[in-house]
Amino acid sequence: MLSQPALADAQLDSAMKNPANWAAQAGDYANQRYSDLKQINASNVGKLQAAWTISTGVLRGHEGSPLVVGDTMYIHSPFPNKVVAVNLKDQTYKWKYEPKQDAAVVPVMCCDTVNRGLAYGDGKIFLQQADTTLVALDANTGKVVWSVKNGDPKIGETNTNAPHVFKDKVITGISGGEFGVRGRVTAYDIKTGKVAWKGYSVGPDNEMLIDPDKTTTWADGKVVPVGKDSSIKTWQGDQWKIGGGTTWGWYSYDPKLNLMYYGSGNPSTWNPKQRPGDNKWSMSIWARDVDTGKVKWVYQMTPHDEWDFDGINEMILADVSVKGQKVPALVHFDRNGFGYTLNRETGALVVAEKYDPAVNWATHVDMKTGRPQVVSQYSTEQNGEDVNSKGICPAALGSKDQQPASYDRKSGLFMVPTNHVCMDYEPFRVEYTAGQPYVGATLSMFPAPNSHGGMGNFIAWDAGTGKIAWSKPEKFSVWSGALTTAGDIVFYGTLEGYLKAVSPKDGKELWKFKVPSGIIGNVFTYEYAGKQYVGVYSGIGGWAGIGMAAGLENSTDGLGAVGGYKDLAKYTDLGGTLFVFALPSN
Amino acid sequence: MLSQPALADAQLDSAMKNPANWAAQAGDYANQRYSDLKQINASNVGKLQAAWTISTGVLRGHEGSPLVVGDTMYIHSPFPNKVVAVNLKDQTYKWKYEPKQDAAVVPVMCCDTVNRGLAYGDGKIFLQQADTTLVALDANTGKVVWSVKNGDPKIGETNTNAPHVFKDKVITGISGGEFGVRGRVTAYDIKTGKVAWKGYSVGPDNEMLIDPDKTTTWADGKVVPVGKDSSIKTWQGDQWKIGGGTTWGWYSYDPKLNLMYYGSGNPSTWNPKQRPGDNKWSMSIWARDVDTGKVKWVYQMTPHDEWDFDGINEMILADVSVKGQKVPALVHFDRNGFGYTLNRETGALVVAEKYDPAVNWATHVDMKTGRPQVVSQYSTEQNGEDVNSKGICPAALGSKDQQPASYDRKSGLFMVPTNHVCMDYEPFRVEYTAGQPYVGATLSMFPAPNSHGGMGNFIAWDAGTGKIAWSKPEKFSVWSGALTTAGDIVFYGTLEGYLKAVSPKDGKELWKFKVPSGIIGNVFTYEYAGKQYVGVYSGIGGWAGIGMAAGLENSTDGLGAVGGYKDLAKYTDLGGTLFVFALPSN
Ligand SMILES: O=C(O)c1cc(C(=O)O)c2c(n1)C(=O)C(=O)c1cc(C(=O)O)[nH]c1-2
Ligand SMILES: O=C(O)c1cc(C(=O)O)c2c(n1)C(=O)C(=O)c1cc(C(=O)O)[nH]c1-2
């Protein structure tokens, strides 16, 4: 008999069910980023106007979104990770929490000092600080209830991900794939902060919480047990110990299956020659039991990564119609440029197609083996060390990076903010030193050639057929998370700083507004006192904006992003503000 | 015969005449901050909405306003004093100028790293950097045309004031009254940057450009020549050399009289015992010939200052009706709490009345001598060193500080953003060391007792009678500059971050909007493509906001302002953005 499963967090559950709240980063457990609110709709969104604004007092990149529970909004900031509880009535501050963090963590954050937001549950607000401290704050007072250390910045471990509340656990990941950090997710008890379980991405079976006989993967056209030492035997010697596979994305949860889903990142180093083998389970989609952490299934998208196609992008849970049949699906837009549809119960691969036509590093994904078919011209492994492999699409930051997509429950289409960027990639030999960058490649990035000249598209995706329904070109990568609403609108922000509302039917622009700084935050919505609001953080940064955020100027600095995005400085400047919009009162 | 007077700057003159532009910090030479634009008016201002926004990328206090000339807006920032030229059409950047300044200047700026804005003229944009470098930029390209050093930060000389273009001169001041800096204004040739003339506030007649026989002052109920050594003989020994009287305010200019007007600041140190005498001409209103710098007249408001009632506040030029007669007036709201009306041609004192009823340090200004009658209880000189004089009103930051008032041409009333703050003041002996603070007093500040509990009022002032027409209480000091328009509106910002539109008739609130950070900038307006816009910088700081801006926490830090304004942290946070508002399109 199974042990008694934990109950769902009642407060979060009920808060999430009421669309007036925005109680979790994605609005729900399924990562759908869809709201039932429709006071703001396609025919009146043209009148949308800024309702109120708040400065965070921090300049660098602002990712994630605030949370709204009842009459309170919880606002976070990038490092130093301030938290402010704001009364929705009059925008005064209920409380502020300002952690003291050692600034020594800043240089070990690969891609700006971002923070992807807070979690709510059990009357608490959870903050995952950059220095890996996970803090539980009383939602009413801001007082610290408990606090734990989730890692060690001295060996390059940091945190940028939002914690996630699933049932009686607060679940968090780790960053540091560029420092040889060994990825894992850790579940903490929501009441006490005690470790409930910890599951690594690479290493011995027991440390990954993999059961060689019960944990399955997709191979040979079917779901099969992974077998013994499925990770270790794909690494040379002890390399898995500094093997990466970090876990800094947005997790989702299926209460019925009691499974949580997330992706693991790139293997360390970026020089593939130094780490022969498939490097499992970096670059993989994971399904874990929330109570025990045990792995139900795992699927590796990019075996033996040669391009930093870090697999952490979110898994969106939805029922997708495939060839006339409803599949309990997980939809994932990977950095590698393929949009994956899997059966989330079994881990069976259903669809894997390019969601940006520029993708050239692989011809297709072999549906039997689940492996992408690499084009040798773009294999940095085959071309070898100190050889510059040119014109690889997408660039290391992928056809999509952390910017989460949204699901349109009405049309069944996925609304995806994408990058349209290619790269030259030159791997080189690198020594591991704890706490030092362990990158091993020089990159430069540029807009996808022979296209519209821009670096991004906002697309609608049919996950059942693996086809782009429509695509709206953007000058820069769309680094902000999308929101679809029952008002027949999809919102997203641009790096120049426009918040846009477009039609989910055809991408037609319905409205836009220029916020002070480029947008890398995620759009959210809530209702207060009978009025619907839509909000977003403004504050350029993240990997795409690292040049501005960190004041870098050489093209290949910022892991290669500085050159590609240098034109951003002609459009926007740093600055962190929250913008909230509503329809005029009369 | 007089030498040929220089001509007005044709470009500035014509730009200023067109209300579509905002070509000078006050909109005009007279410092009226009044606009003829009236598309936005009292009946539709309730519909005003944010049109677009831009982040400056700088966190600390944002004073002044952008300039608008034709289709370009010129935006400045606090230290490091970036300048951006923005296309009004699409808010893209035409050019950026980012000076490299030694950050060593920051600790010698007394009251935040503010900058009060740019000047326009002769096809150039003039930037007065914090490190005292005055730069002329080509308005079209942002290229440096010339650049000069106006002072030396090593001895505490800095700049926060906007430069002013009057005719063929760029005129600038100096800050550092808290460092024993000897105040002066300097006129530079607009074409070359060569010094045209320099006039000190204290010292020998020839260095002040004072003619003992021709320069007049108000005494004994009439205007009389100042006589020989009018400054030097009011100082002990060489003390005038470190005597203060800095000049960091907003200057005005009367083209017909060819006179410019400005105020000089406090004598150094703040400990009055250390500098016996009237300390002339600190704390004075000055009228200088723009071509030669020669002083036409000078009037000292606060002889032998004992409270830091720094006299730099702006002079507003308007014809004021006094007892049925039109007086070519200069109206000035001094830090000392008196509103002065003088005849700007002659320097004759016409009216001097309290514009905040809380003012208690003097009973009144003797209209014959022009001297305030000090209440001994509040005389920090009489109470002596190391004695805490309590309950002095106003506090050192005055009933008004740098925040400029506006004039309502329709009603003839002045719209004045004020402080409603009192203080305890304890002078102590201090040694002068070049480049080190030379303050000599410990202060604490608090809301005016037995009043509405707030720290500010926005008032309408009748400069002919010296009476408050109406007064609107505010929670915090109103540190933002006002704008009156022909649309029967007066705009101002609050430290909590509300931009407000009120009726100049009675102060009734017509509209407000919460910008991201507290407002210490000045409201401005312009028209582009047939549409009127109203804008303001958001970005808390300045002396009132120094606690947040500089991260200070002790109540008496920030020259005594930190304690008084500590509640600001419950309402707002740092961040520099420009907000531009307009009426909806349909
Ligand atoms: O390997 C890692 O641990 C790691 C961490 C992070 C992060 O924590 O932000 C990023 C990445 N990798 C990364 O590859 C990446 O593209 C990236 C983009 C961003 C961002 O916030 O814009 N973070 C990260
Ligand atoms: O004596 C000086 O030279 C000097 C300079 C400044 C300045 O340059 O900002 C201020 C003051 N004094 C001052 O007394 C004062 O109240 C003040 C307020 C502010 C401000 O910007 O909020 N600056 C200054």
Side-chain angles (χ1 to χ4, degrees), chain B residues 63 109-116 156 158-161 174-179 181 244-249 265-266 268 270 308-310 312-313 335 396-398 400-403 479 520 541-545 559:
Chain B
E63 291 184 351
M109 303 186 77
C110 74
C111 310
D112 200 5
T113 53
V114 294
N115 181 290
R116 294 191 190 84
T158 59
N159 271 110
T160 59
N161 65 281
I174 199 79
S175 290
E178 281 59 58
F179 293 82
V181 165
T246 53
T247 50
W248 49 278
N266 58 291
S268 313
W270 289 11
D308 182 39
F309 289 155
D310 190 316
I312 64 87
N313 291 356
R335 284 255 282 265
L397 37 68
K400 188 181 94 61
D401 198 287
Q402 61 81 33
Q403 61 269 39
W479 212 263
I520 63 170
W543 193 6
L559 304 172

Side-chain angles (χ1 to χ4, degrees), chain A residues 49-51 53-57 59 82 90 92-93 96 498 513-516 569-575 577 579, chain B residues 49-51 53-57 59 82 90 92-93 96 498 513-516 569-575 577 579:
Chain A
Q49 59 181 49
T53 62
I54 275 188
S55 184
T56 65
L59 284 181
K82 298 194 275 183
D90 56 8
T92 53
Y93 300 170
K96 270 193 192 183
Y498 283 102
F513 182 88
K514 181 88 159 58
V515 294
K570 294 183 190 156
Y571 291 86
T572 194
D573 213 325
L574 296 178
T577 48
F579 262 69
Chain B
Q49 59 181 52
T53 62
I54 275 188
S55 184
T56 65
L59 285 182
K82 298 194 276 183
D90 57 7
T92 54
Y93 299 170
K96 269 193 192 184
Y498 282 102
F513 183 89
K514 182 86 160 59
V515 294
K570 293 182 191 158
Y571 291 86
T572 194
D573 214 324
L574 296 178
T577 48
F579 262 68

Side-chain angles (χ1 to χ4, degrees), chain B residues 366-385:
Chain B
D366 181 303
M367 295 304 286
K368 244 186 125 186
T369 61
R371 296 176 78 100
Q373 301 304 296
V374 177
V375 175
S376 27
Q377 178 186 355
Y378 303 118
S379 168
T380 73
E381 160 86 39
Q382 287 181 42
N383 297 340
E385 286 173 353

Side-chain angles (χ1 to χ4, degrees), chain B residues 196-535:
Chain B
W197 53 257
K198 186 190 285 200
Y200 282 92
S201 304
V202 295
D205 291 340
N206 64 329
E207 295 187 7
M208 294 189 296
L209 308 182
I210 275 184
D211 181 330
D213 303 321
K214 290 197 184 138
T215 300
T216 59
T217 192
W218 181 255
D220 209 18
K222 57 180 185 290
V223 159
V224 296
V226 293
K228 202 165 142 25
D229 291 336
S230 59
S231 168
I232 281 186
K233 69 188 181 194
T234 66
W235 290 90
Q236 207 172 57
D238 271 359
Q239 284 187 341
W240 57 266
K241 292 188 174 166
I242 51 166
T246 53
T247 50
W248 49 278
W250 315 96
Y251 314 161
S252 48
Y253 167 54
D254 183 329
K256 234 177 55 205
L257 300 173
N258 202 38
L259 292 176
M260 64 167 280
Y261 303 92
Y262 69 95
S264 54
N266 58 291
S268 313
T269 134
W270 289 11
N271 175 4
K273 275 277 186 233
Q274 275 183 254
R275 45 167 171 74
D278 272 357
N279 310 133
K280 279 179 179 152
W281 295 95
S282 70
M283 304 301 212
S284 299
I285 302 175
W286 297 74
R288 283 187 193 268
D289 182 281
V290 163
D291 296 331
T292 61
K294 282 188 181 146
V295 182
K296 173 95 201 291
W297 59 261
V298 58
Y299 165 72
Q300 190 179 44
M301 295 165 290
T302 313
H304 188 64
D305 169 63
E306 314 168 36
W307 312 270
D308 182 39
F309 289 155
D310 190 316
I312 64 87
N313 291 356
E314 77 287 357
M315 316 297 155
I316 306 175
L317 313 186
D319 290 345
V320 170
S321 144
V322 183
K323 293 182 188 144
Q325 285 216 300
K326 275 262 170 280
V327 176
L330 165 164
V331 175
H332 169 78
F333 300 92
D334 198 60
R335 284 255 282 265
N336 72 13
F338 288 91
Y340 292 88
T341 307
L342 281 85
N343 182 315
R344 71 175 178 270
E345 277 183 37
T346 62
L349 182 62
V350 179
V351 174
E353 295 291 342
K354 297 177 181 178
Y355 62 95
D356 181 354
V359 174
N360 66 9
W361 68 281
T363 52
H364 65 286
V365 172
D366 181 303
M367 295 304 286
K368 244 186 125 186
T369 61
R371 296 176 78 100
Q373 301 304 296
V374 177
V375 175
S376 27
Q377 178 186 355
Y378 303 118
S379 168
T380 73
E381 160 86 39
Q382 287 181 42
N383 297 340
E385 286 173 353
D386 305 318
V387 174
N388 198 356
S389 296
K390 297 205 165 189
I392 305 169
C393 306
L397 37 68
S399 298
K400 188 181 94 61
D401 198 287
Q402 61 81 33
Q403 61 269 39
S406 72
Y407 176 62
D408 181 12
R409 285 187 201 153
K410 288 188 174 179
S411 68
L413 293 175
F414 292 78
M415 305 289 139
V416 196
T418 74
N419 310 328
H420 196 52
V421 184
C422 303
M423 69 175 167
D424 301 340
Y425 190 112
E426 181 169 329
F428 60 82
R429 194 141 288 256
V430 63
E431 286 282 336
Y432 174 81
T433 309
Q436 294 300 316
Y438 185 52
V439 177
T442 306
L443 279 65
S444 56
M445 303 186 190
F446 40 87
N450 311 315
S451 185
H452 55 72
M455 299 175 82
N457 293 296
F458 189 78
I459 71 159
W461 177 254
D462 181 334
T465 61
K467 292 213 157 60
I468 296 172
W470 52 259
S471 176
K472 182 174 151 52
E474 285 287 353
K475 181 155 184 60
F476 294 103
S477 300
V478 186
W479 212 263
S480 122
L483 169 76
T484 316
T485 74
D488 297 314
I489 314 172
V490 53
F491 292 94
Y492 67 94
T494 73
L495 286 177
E496 306 104 291
Y498 282 102
L499 177 63
K500 294 188 177 181
V502 307
S503 165
K505 295 197 179 67
D506 53 14
K508 211 185 123 218
E509 204 166 285
L510 305 170
W511 170 86
K512 67 175 176 180
F513 183 89
K514 182 86 160 59
V515 294
S517 176
I519 303 176
I520 63 170
N522 305 331
V523 193
F524 69 107
T525 188
Y526 67 95
E527 187 183 294
Y528 176 72
K531 206 170 171 112
Q532 184 186 357
Y533 296 85
V534 171

Side-chain angles (χ1 to χ4, degrees), chain A residues 345-379:
Chain A
E345 277 182 38
T346 63
L349 181 63
V350 180
V351 175
E353 295 291 343
K354 296 177 181 177
Y355 62 94
D356 181 353
V359 174
N360 67 9
W361 70 280
T363 52
H364 65 287
V365 173
D366 181 303
M367 295 303 286
K368 245 186 124 185
T369 61
R371 295 177 78 101
Q373 301 305 296
V374 177
V375 174
S376 27
Q377 178 187 355
Y378 303 117
S379 167

Side-chain angles (χ1 to χ4, degrees), chain A residues 51-359:
Chain A
W52 57 272
T53 62
I54 275 188
S55 184
T56 65
V58 180
L59 284 181
R60 294 179 63 165
H62 283 61
E63 290 183 352
S65 77
L67 299 179
V68 175
V69 183
D71 58 4
T72 308
M73 182 184 285
Y74 302 93
I75 297 175
H76 74 282
S77 85
F79 182 90
N81 307 131
K82 298 194 275 183
V83 184
V84 188
V86 172
N87 292 306
L88 288 178
K89 201 175 111 186
D90 56 8
Q91 287 85 55
T92 53
Y93 300 170
K94 228 164 146 172
W95 53 260
K96 270 193 192 183
Y97 178 72
E98 308 201 20
K100 295 252 176 288
Q101 282 186 83
D102 191 338
V105 73
V106 171
V108 279
M109 303 186 77
C110 74
C111 310
D112 200 6
T113 54
V114 293
N115 181 290
R116 293 189 193 85
L118 307 165
Y120 169 80
D122 195 43
K124 304 187 190 78
I125 290 292
F126 300 96
L127 165 68
Q128 177 60 75
Q129 296 177 191
D131 68 0
T132 79
T133 311
L134 176 66
V135 188
L137 302 169
D138 183 301
N140 284 320
T141 64
K143 295 261 167 351
V144 176
V145 182
W146 54 258
S147 159
V148 294
K149 265 295 203 187
N150 180 55
D152 181 4
K154 288 211 184 64
I155 58 166
E157 293 179 343
T158 60
N159 272 110
T160 58
N161 65 280
H164 290 77
V165 170
F166 299 144
K167 300 177 85 173
D168 61 347
K169 312 260 184 313
V170 188
I171 303 179
T172 191
I174 199 79
S175 289
E178 281 60 59
F179 294 81
V181 166
R182 185 175 164 220
R184 73 259 178 185
V185 288
T186 310
Y188 294 92
D189 183 279
I190 200 166
K191 299 269 178 223
T192 63
K194 284 218 184 86
V195 174
W197 53 257
K198 186 189 286 199
Y200 283 92
S201 305
V202 294
D205 291 340
N206 65 327
E207 295 187 7
M208 294 189 296
L209 310 181
I210 276 184
D211 180 331
D213 303 321
K214 290 197 184 141
T215 301
T216 59
T217 192
W218 181 256
D220 208 21
K222 58 180 184 292
V223 159
V224 297
V226 293
K228 203 164 140 26
D229 292 335
S230 60
S231 167
I232 282 186
K233 67 186 184 196
T234 66
W235 290 90
Q236 208 171 56
D238 272 0
Q239 283 187 343
W240 57 267
K241 291 188 176 166
I242 51 166
T246 54
T247 49
W248 49 277
W250 316 95
Y251 315 161
S252 48
Y253 167 54
D254 182 331
K256 234 175 54 206
L257 301 173
N258 201 38
L259 292 176
M260 63 167 280
Y261 302 93
Y262 68 95
S264 54
N266 58 291
S268 313
T269 136
W270 290 12
N271 175 3
K273 274 279 186 233
Q274 276 182 257
R275 43 168 173 75
D278 272 357
N279 311 133
K280 278 177 180 154
W281 295 96
S282 70
M283 303 301 212
S284 300
I285 301 176
W286 298 74
R288 282 187 193 267
D289 182 282
V290 162
D291 296 331
T292 62
K294 283 188 180 145
V295 182
K296 173 92 197 293
W297 59 260
V298 58
Y299 165 73
Q300 190 179 43
M301 297 165 288
T302 313
H304 188 62
D305 169 64
E306 314 168 36
W307 312 269
D308 182 40
F309 290 155
D310 190 317
I312 65 86
N313 290 356
E314 79 286 356
M315 316 298 155
I316 306 175
L317 313 185
D319 289 347
V320 169
S321 145
V322 183
K323 295 182 187 140
Q325 285 215 302
K326 275 261 170 281
V327 175
L330 164 165
V331 175
H332 168 78
F333 301 91
D334 198 60
R335 283 257 283 265
N336 72 13
F338 288 91
Y340 293 86
T341 307
L342 282 85
N343 182 314
R344 70 175 178 270
E345 277 182 38
T346 63
L349 181 63
V350 180
V351 175
E353 295 291 343
K354 296 177 181 177
Y355 62 94
D356 181 353
V359 174

